[in-house]
Amino acid sequence: MARNIQSLERAAAMLRLLAGGERRLGLSDIASSLGLAKGTAHGILRTLQQEGFVEQDDASGRYQLGAELLRLGTTYLDVHELRARALVWADDLARSSGESVHLGVLHQQGVLIVHHVFRPDDSRQVLEIGAMQPLHSTALGKVLSAYDPVAHSEAVEAERKAFTDRTVCAPDDFEHLLDLTRARGWAADVEETWEGVSSIAAPIHDRRRMPVGAVGITGAVERVCRDGELRPELIAAVRDCARAVSRDLGAGRF
């Protein structure tokens, strides 16, 4: 069995201590509460302070939770709320389109799948929640890159791998693709990431009208496309779903 890392356990205990009770504690209070030597406690607090997880009041010298923890907590709550708001609409999209539905957010230079609704048939499928997709070649990734400045920077600065002979990799071509995505309000991936697979995605915005994710459908090319073109009713269904989730998040009309 793997052993826990003692310094991380102590840091976690400090954060929990600061999160309760008086909220603002001195070094002696923290050390005695956790049964640590003052030097040990001070070293951990200094590291947490450097990372923004703990702040020290200049006047009293007491410690409290830092803004970085608030930012991380807000990010978690945003993703949790996004997924909760999208559940019903994603189910409806899967039923109306007949394809699998994915909800994705920006994470570590890629797209993290936070919700997945299976295609409504009896075929064998694998749950993809927690999977990562590339930013530059997938419909979800293109949408995030087009609307989210951070995702855009990461997609532009990263090496854009050619997964198939259809993958758009050249800088100017990729920027043109993002311009097109913003102009029409949706993105597509027609065999750019996986042979025989196509997808359509649209952006989701929050109450601040900031892009917080993307929702899309994925399926076989012969089902998503007709006569070599993406089926317009599927594009409309994806966009309607994205607008509905955005409205539920307080974004208003788009």
Side-chain angles (χ1 to χ4, degrees), residues 26-127:
L27 174 61
S28 296
D29 298 324
I30 295 171
S32 62
S33 295
L34 299 178
L36 300 175
K38 281 188 179 181
T40 301
H42 185 256
I44 296 173
L45 284 167
R46 188 172 62 247
T47 301
L48 291 172
Q49 187 177 0
Q50 290 171 350
E51 295 299 325
F53 296 139
V54 164
E55 295 173 356
Q56 187 177 27
D57 181 67
D58 292 334
S60 66
R62 290 175 172 263
Y63 294 90
Q64 64 185 20
L65 294 180
E68 181 64 12
L69 273 181
L70 176 62
R71 186 190 70 81
L72 292 176
T74 301
T75 299
Y76 170 78
L77 290 174
D78 285 348
V79 171
H80 181 73
E81 183 183 8
L82 171 62
R83 184 176 180 276
R85 297 288 186 179
L87 290 177
V88 173
W89 298 111
D91 286 344
D92 288 346
L93 178 58
R95 281 193 295 269
S96 65
S97 67
E99 301 297 345
S100 62
V101 175
H102 295 88
L103 183 69
V105 298
L106 176 65
H107 180 69
Q108 295 181 348
Q109 294 81 52
V111 182
L112 174 67
I113 303 302
V114 297
H115 186 55
H116 175 201
V117 183
F118 283 163
R119 186 171 63 254
D121 58 21
D122 295 328
S123 62
R124 184 176 180 180
Q125 300 173 63
V126 177
L127 188 65

Side-chain angles (χ1 to χ4, degrees), residues 79 82-83 86 90 93 101-107 110-116 133-135 138-148 151 181 185-187 199-206 210-218 238-239 241-243 245-246 249:
V79 171
L82 171 62
R83 184 176 180 276
L93 178 58
V101 175
H102 295 88
L103 183 69
V105 298
L106 176 65
H107 180 69
V111 182
L112 174 67
I113 303 302
V114 297
H115 186 55
H116 175 201
Q133 293 186 2
L135 280 172
T138 61
L140 293 171
K142 292 175 193 175
V143 164
L144 293 174
S145 299
Y147 287 89
D148 186 332
T181 297
W186 55 274
S199 58
I200 304 166
I204 296 172
H205 297 80
D206 66 6
M210 297 294 292
V212 292
V215 64
I217 60 170
T218 300
V238 170
R239 297 193 69 191
C241 177
R243 291 191 190 104
V245 179
S246 296
L249 289 170

Side-chain angles (χ1 to χ4, degrees), residues 162-167 189-198 219-222:
F163 297 104
T164 73
D165 57 6
R166 293 172 177 262
T167 309
D189 165 11
V190 181
E191 296 189 281
E192 294 178 47
T193 310
W194 302 283
E195 296 283 355
V197 177
S198 292
V221 172
E222 57 269 23

